[in-house]
Amino acid sequence: MNRTKVGAVMTDDVVTARYGTPFKEVVRLLRQHRISGLPVIDEDDKIIGVISETDLMRRQARPPEPGGHLAAWVRGLSRDARQSAARSRARTAGGLMSAPAVTVPAEAALSEAARLMTRHGIERLPVVDEEDRLVGIVTRRDLLQVFLRCDDEIRRAVQREVFTNALRLSPDVVDVAVYDGVVTLTGQLEHRDDVTAAVGLTHRMDGVVDVVDHLTYCFDDRHAQTTRPTVHGAAEGRPRRT
């Protein structure tokens, strides 16, 4: 199955910051490029963290600190609270960033990137190569590009990738109809497992919104039983010992 990779939809011109980039410069970069976050990289272009607008807002929202007793006040906080307090007072990207960064390989499928974004509640992912160096950035909007695939292109892809390449069947065995990304499969296949595979593979095709299954089958693989042949001949006519 030829599925679109993250590297095909990512933006490779990435706005980044270094560990020592000043707070105000980070704000200027976000404003100038109209973005909500950026990765922080080291000298080898490897990602060491990410900064979002939420990280910057912590500085604005920090509570007032007790004058003259700052050290004692900080010691009295929990570990998480101390880390949050330190980040709210940070002056550079290294202190502001969230680490470790959540990243995705350029060769990953779009579905993997979507699962990472959903799991971590983020809107963008830094994209890395085999050596974990930054090569791009992918956003939720980028992942939605596959749904702009036209219906006729989806139909041809399902016929080719699912039925011809994967199931080794003639593409005219099943009627494939696509409307607004919804694929309807109509026809009869030999085995029930073929139907299950056809529907599952079609669901995973780029641009498919849903699959309507009107497929039937001739043979139910799940209830197939292997029967042993009955042996006839000498054993049947053998005399009993007395």
Side-chain angles (χ1 to χ4, degrees), residues 14-176:
V14 187
V15 180
T16 62
R18 300 285 181 173
Y19 191 91
T21 301
F23 177 95
K24 284 193 173 184
E25 176 64 11
V26 173
V27 175
R28 188 191 66 77
L29 287 170
L30 295 182
R31 180 186 177 93
Q32 177 183 345
H33 297 279
R34 298 183 179 180
I35 53 179
S36 59
L38 51 78
V40 182
I41 58 176
D42 64 12
E43 295 78 9
D44 297 320
D45 289 337
K46 293 186 177 181
I47 299 178
I48 55 177
V50 293
I51 296 178
S52 68
E53 290 176 336
T54 302
D55 296 321
L56 299 179
M57 289 302 295
R58 285 194 180 95
R59 185 177 180 86
Q60 295 299 101
R62 66 179 180 180
E65 299 164 354
H69 304 283
L70 178 59
W73 175 73
V74 170
R75 285 197 299 270
L77 298 175
S78 67
R79 179 182 176 183
D80 288 345
R82 287 198 302 272
Q83 291 177 343
S84 180
R87 290 171 66 185
S88 71
R89 300 191 306 275
R91 298 177 181 178
T92 63
L96 292 163
M97 69 184 186
S98 298
V102 180
T103 63
V104 65
E107 291 300 310
L110 300 188
S111 56
E112 181 178 344
R115 284 193 293 270
L116 284 171
M117 287 184 183
T118 301
R119 186 184 309 148
H120 295 279
I122 53 182
E123 297 183 357
R124 58 181 59 231
L125 278 172
V127 184
V128 296
D129 63 12
E130 297 84 355
E131 298 181 1
D132 288 331
R133 289 181 304 222
L134 179 69
V135 293
I137 200 91
V138 65
T139 67
R140 292 182 179 181
R141 182 175 299 178
D142 295 327
L143 300 184
L144 294 175
Q145 285 184 25
V146 293
F147 292 105
L148 298 177
R149 200 177 192 185
C150 70
D151 289 344
D152 192 53
E153 184 181 351
I154 294 173
R155 180 183 60 80
R156 291 195 303 269
V158 170
Q159 289 176 326
R160 179 181 65 254
E161 300 291 337
V162 175
F163 293 100
T164 301
N165 295 349
L167 298 180
R168 305 295 182 185
L169 299 173
S170 173
D172 56 6
V173 168
V174 171
D175 178 65
V176 180

Side-chain angles (χ1 to χ4, degrees), residues 204-223:
R204 294 198 290 272
M205 293 292 294
D206 290 338
V208 172
V209 176
D210 200 2
V211 179
V212 179
D213 176 16
H214 287 166
L215 295 173
T216 59
Y217 52 88
C218 300
F219 182 71
D220 191 344
D221 312 65
R222 298 188 309 173
H223 297 112

Side-chain angles (χ1 to χ4, degrees), residues 185 200 242:
L185 304 176
T242 56

